[in-house]
Amino acid sequence: MQRYITETNRNKNVEDFQMRDDLIATLKNRFTTYGYRQVQTSTFENYDMYSDIIGTVNKDEMIKVIDTTGKVLVLRPDVTIPITRITAANQNSNDFNQRLFYVLDIFRQSSGLPNQKESTQAGVEFFGENTPEIDSEVIMLAIHTLKDLNFQNFKIEIGHAGFFKELIQQASLSEQELELLQTLIQSKNITEIELLLNDLPIEEELQTAIQSIPMLYGEPASVIQQAEKIIRSDKMQQVLHNLIDVYEVLKDYGVDDYVNFNLGLINNMNYYSGIIFQGFVDQVGQPVLMGGRYDNLGKQFNNAMPAIGFAFEVDFLQQAIQQQGLAEPVDQAVDIIIYYTKEKQKEALKAAYELRNQNYQVLTFSKASSSLKPLASINIVNYDEEQNILFSNNKKHTFTETKEILSLIESTKGD
């Protein structure tokens, strides 16, 4: 999926890493509840796999290396393409549904930000069916996940790769003209679009239709009404009906308040063939997720198969969570701290082993240590020559065996 590069600080402290782990755990849990299974692809891929596929990563953005045999490799610049290749190679039947997810780093070189070459994506890929219900379920998964992360104000913008493609085919533009027009539409530069089209041999009605594309954005019912005015072919009508069908299912999910239509949504990954979408949250100027349907990509690996997916930008999600104060406080307290004298060392370390076997976080300290510092815990164990004492929830208990510690801790949990 397309990655937008931002200058993020990946040299994070311990609390940032804990937040990131919690974030990724939330993503993985939600993906799993929709039936997706985790996969992984190689960090190093053959350069030819990306360079030979039409409409993928800009070759200038790929980070290339040469192995000892002289073969050109690239650090993984995209995940959808290798997953599609693997799925196409292993699938011999058209009657299948494959739900896969990943959490992987991707690597791109940006001329604007030369020091930013790495980011983490968490995404899903669904292979095997092309229906409005599947498209809606994948978008619903994205919405469900954003709700899991406690975002209150977010929007999913939905467009369709076919609407613009069908319209622009009637204009017979050169590759350079098309590239410029796409850039202007993405930036919604109405003035420059009009100047560009005025210089081209395009009939007035088609020119008006193209100029209206950037304005086909907002509440779905309104966009549908405006789009119907510029329909110029049966194919465009089918595309609009597909969008309407997907939206109707999303309304049944009860998430239509989170959805806008954007028929000016154009993704730089030209392998998209149907529904495309992106997600925005407050205080992040770039999309935190992008995705869409790419039914034709499998053909380039000699196995046509319907497919749709999306990818979250984990760095952007973490940035938004921090800026909006949505992160749960990192618990600095330790489950159990054990202090012991030299004479009780064997007994204390054996107890620590047994407690860790019960999945408690345990720190041990010799009282003879000169670096001993007080730490926070609701359970403090003291092994002294005279007696063993557990301080749990501000209550003092004596004990002789480790199993008594477990019993006492369990009994005071609700205090």
Side-chain angles (χ1 to χ4, degrees):
M1 300 299 170
Q2 175 72 15
R3 181 171 76 91
Y4 286 82
I5 301 174
T6 187
E7 194 162 7
T8 56
N9 178 13
R10 296 178 69 87
N11 298 317
K12 302 178 186 297
N13 59 32
V14 174
E15 288 74 20
D16 288 334
F17 276 115
Q18 183 62 59
M19 181 194 303
R20 189 181 187 84
D21 280 348
D22 292 343
L23 164 59
I24 290 173
T26 299
L27 298 176
K28 292 169 69 172
N29 177 71
R30 182 53 61 210
F31 295 165
T32 302
T33 65
Y34 278 68
Y36 289 80
R37 298 179 300 166
Q38 188 168 7
V39 294
Q40 187 167 347
T41 70
S42 174
T43 303
F44 292 93
E45 296 282 3
N46 291 330
Y47 171 73
D48 292 342
M49 181 181 72
Y50 289 96
S51 63
D52 292 345
I53 299 299
I54 299 171
T56 62
V57 184
N58 186 325
K59 296 180 180 63
D60 293 335
E61 292 184 1
M62 297 184 195
I63 299 176
K64 307 173 187 68
V65 296
I66 300 176
D67 68 11
T68 55
T69 68
K71 191 172 187 177
V72 179
L73 306 175
V74 293
L75 286 168
R76 178 179 52 232
D78 173 87
V79 184
T80 297
I81 294 169
I83 287 182
T84 302
R85 180 201 63 191
I86 294 168
T87 304
N90 295 326
Q91 183 56 47
N92 298 317
S93 169
N94 292 325
D95 183 22
F96 79 107
N97 284 330
Q98 186 83 275
R99 298 168 186 257
L100 307 173
F101 82 85
Y102 58 87
V103 181
L104 294 169
D105 287 343
I106 65 168
F107 306 88
R108 303 263 186 92
Q109 177 68 62
S110 169
S111 58
L113 294 169
N115 294 325
Q116 181 65 36
K117 298 180 177 66
E118 179 182 2
S119 72
T120 303
Q121 287 188 348
V124 303
E125 312 291 353
F126 179 97
F127 298 96
E129 195 172 349
N130 181 353
T131 67
E133 291 76 21
I134 291 299
D135 289 351
S136 304
E137 182 183 279
V138 171
I139 295 171
M140 178 63 203
L141 172 53
I143 293 172
H144 202 158
T145 308
L146 289 171
K147 289 168 71 71
D148 287 342
L149 298 172
N150 297 319
F151 291 114
Q152 300 299 314
N153 298 313
F154 65 87
K155 284 291 183 182
I156 303 295
E157 296 182 359
I158 303 175
H160 197 294
F163 197 85
F164 175 75
K165 287 179 181 178
E166 285 298 318
L167 186 61
I168 213 65
Q169 280 180 358
Q170 303 174 35
S172 301
L173 301 181
S174 69
E175 185 175 338
Q176 292 78 12
E177 290 166 344
L178 177 57
E179 184 176 339
L180 175 57
L181 178 60
Q182 287 178 320
T183 300
L184 295 175
I185 288 176
Q186 285 176 312
S187 62
K188 299 188 184 301
N189 192 330
I190 307 300
T191 302
E192 291 297 325
I193 292 173
E194 183 176 2
L195 291 174
L196 172 64
L197 295 177
N198 284 339
D199 290 338
L200 300 174
I202 300 175
E203 60 174 290
E204 184 177 350
E205 184 179 342
L206 178 57
Q207 181 174 330
T208 300
I210 295 173
Q211 287 178 209
S212 70
I213 288 289
M215 308 310 296
L216 297 179
Y217 170 84
E219 196 274 324
S222 175
V223 174
I224 292 167
Q225 187 177 26
Q226 296 175 59
E228 287 175 338
K229 299 176 182 177
I230 64 168
I231 295 294
R232 293 175 57 87
S233 68
D234 290 342
K235 182 64 176 177
M236 290 181 69
Q237 189 68 61
Q238 292 172 14
V239 166
L240 188 58
H241 282 162
N242 180 224
L243 276 168
I244 294 170
D245 290 343
V246 170
Y247 181 60
E248 289 299 318
V249 179
L250 289 171
K251 286 200 292 185
D252 287 341
Y253 274 116
V255 296
D256 44 305
D257 286 345
Y258 298 104
V259 172
N260 278 336
F261 275 6
N262 182 2
L263 294 185
L265 178 57
I266 300 171
N267 195 291
N268 292 331
M269 293 294 201
N270 292 325
Y271 55 57
Y272 287 117
S273 58
I275 290 286
I276 51 178
F277 55 95
Q278 60 186 11
F280 291 89
V281 300
D282 281 352
Q283 300 183 37
V284 177
Q286 301 279 17
V288 298
L289 73 94
M290 296 197 71
R293 177 162 287 283
Y294 51 98
D295 291 345
N296 298 324
L297 185 58
K299 293 179 182 178
Q300 301 192 57
F301 296 107
N302 302 313
N303 193 347
M305 53 187 182
I308 183 173
F310 69 82
F312 280 110
E313 292 291 345
V314 174
D315 290 337
F316 288 168
L317 287 177
Q318 183 170 0
Q319 175 187 337
I321 288 169
Q322 289 174 316
Q323 290 179 344
Q324 296 183 30
L326 301 178
E328 295 290 335
V330 178
D331 189 1
Q332 300 291 335
V334 179
D335 291 337
I336 303 170
I337 298 176
I338 296 176
Y339 298 101
Y340 60 88
T341 62
K342 183 64 176 176
E343 291 75 13
K344 289 291 187 80
Q345 177 173 292
K346 181 177 181 180
E347 184 179 354
L349 297 183
K350 182 180 178 182
Y353 173 80
E354 293 179 10
L355 291 167
R356 287 166 178 153
N357 267 347
Q358 299 299 318
N359 295 321
Y360 284 101
Q361 182 185 26
V362 182
L363 298 183
T364 61
F365 296 95
S366 168
K367 291 188 175 184
S369 172
S370 60
S371 61
L372 193 62
K373 294 181 180 179
L375 294 171
S377 176
I378 60 172
N379 300 299
I380 306 291
V381 179
N382 269 306
Y383 280 89
D384 291 315
E385 293 88 340
E386 298 174 357
Q387 60 181 347
N388 302 331
I389 301 174
L390 166 66
F391 296 93
S392 182
N393 282 314
N394 299 315
K395 293 184 179 180
K396 179 179 177 181
H397 311 271
T398 60
F399 67 91
T400 57
E401 297 181 355
T402 305
K403 63 182 180 181
E404 294 178 68
I405 300 177
L406 291 168
S407 178
L408 289 166
I409 289 174
E410 287 297 320
S411 68
T412 59
K413 273 187 175 179
D415 293 347

